[in-house]
Amino acid sequence: MYNLIYLADDHAIVAAGIAHLLRSLTNTREVNVFHSGNEILAAIEQKKPSLVILDIEMPGMNGIETLQKIKSTTNVPVIMLSMNDEKYIIRECMNLGANGFLPKDCSIDELNEAIDVVMDGGTYLGEKIAFILETKKAGADNFFELLSPVTKRELQILEFICDGMTCKEIADKLYLSTRTVEAHKKSIMAKFDAHTTGKLVSLAVKHKYVK
């Protein structure tokens, strides 16, 4: 149960719509809406939420500055939700410690999936964001770089995937839902820029992410 989610977006109608969607999720108990970075930082000082969802374009202190301040003083997970999907913006957010990045045109299912992954300790990058962040270099066959670091949980799941286990078998072993494992797998594949399980396993073994 995600007891308390803080949402910051300076557009009142947009914020109300996102908040309504968040409240419809079965795992969400309460959603508080703020319209600036200063407002949400003040609220966090009073009571830490389970999760923060930040827009980037806000007056005064923008979402990136707010993210930096949140991460400098707390371990509260943060998902960036923005129409701005410039590569350098996404990378800056991830480097500052964002736990996920979603475009505002994402579906409610993807938003729910991202929250599940982040609240389980993972990092979420949807397919669209992973595509934008693609870092392959032409002519550099031996070059390999993850689009975003994998977490301990993701490495654990990756090892089981490489052992040939299904998502249901992994879920049973880790006492997670199959949906959560599937979401983690999707995030792992995005980070490896792998479009099939076979490609994921090949890259993981080749670059020694698994023993």
Side-chain angles (χ1 to χ4, degrees):
M1 176 67 69
Y2 315 140
N3 292 323
L4 180 60
I5 293 178
Y6 285 174
L7 167 67
D9 192 305
D10 65 316
H11 293 94
I13 293 177
V14 174
I18 297 171
H20 176 74
L21 291 175
L22 289 170
R23 293 185 182 108
S24 72
L25 303 180
T26 56
N27 285 334
T28 304
R29 180 173 295 172
E30 182 180 354
V31 179
N32 289 356
V33 178
F34 305 91
H35 300 297
S36 72
N38 288 323
E39 285 182 10
I40 201 167
L41 287 173
I44 290 173
E45 286 184 3
Q46 297 299 315
K47 184 177 181 180
K48 287 185 180 180
S50 305
L51 173 71
V52 168
I53 298 177
L54 282 179
D55 185 20
I56 289 178
E57 301 295 337
M58 293 189 292
M61 185 183 299
N62 65 35
I64 295 176
E65 294 169 326
T66 306
L67 167 68
Q68 188 172 24
K69 287 186 177 294
I70 291 173
K71 288 299 184 177
S72 69
T73 57
T74 77
N75 60 355
V76 174
V78 179
I79 294 175
M80 308 303 290
L81 185 65
S82 178
M83 290 301 293
N84 192 328
D85 56 8
E86 291 290 335
K87 183 175 181 178
Y88 77 95
I89 292 289
I90 300 168
R91 282 201 174 279
E92 184 174 6
C93 289
M94 302 313 290
N95 289 337
L96 288 173
N99 304 88
F101 198 110
L102 287 172
K104 276 190 176 178
D105 60 358
C106 70
S107 67
I108 182 61
D109 287 339
E110 184 171 20
L111 177 60
N112 194 17
E113 186 176 285
I115 293 173
D116 284 345
V117 169
V118 168
M119 294 306 297
D120 191 49
T123 303
Y124 189 89
L125 295 171
E127 291 181 6
K128 179 179 179 180
I129 300 302
F131 178 78
I132 293 169
L133 287 177
E134 188 172 355
T135 56
K136 287 185 176 179
K137 295 181 179 179
D141 294 336
N142 294 323
F143 175 81
F144 181 78
E145 179 185 354
L146 290 178
L147 300 181
S148 180
V150 290
T151 65
K152 288 183 179 179
R153 172 70 87 185
E154 288 172 340
L155 280 175
Q156 185 181 32
I157 291 174
L158 178 59
E159 287 184 2
F160 289 138
I161 291 171
C162 291
D163 285 339
M165 293 176 64
T166 66
C167 287
K168 185 178 186 309
E169 289 171 338
I170 297 171
D172 291 342
K173 190 173 184 68
L174 297 180
Y175 302 102
L176 298 171
S177 69
T178 301
R179 178 180 178 180
T180 296
V181 174
E182 289 172 345
H184 275 300
K185 181 180 178 181
K186 182 178 179 181
S187 177
I188 295 167
M189 292 180 72
K191 291 177 181 182
F192 275 82
D193 191 28
H195 302 291
T196 66
T197 300
K199 180 65 172 179
L200 173 64
V201 172
S202 175
L203 288 171
V205 172
K206 179 179 180 181
H207 297 287
K208 299 181 172 28
Y209 283 92
V210 296
K211 297 178 180 179

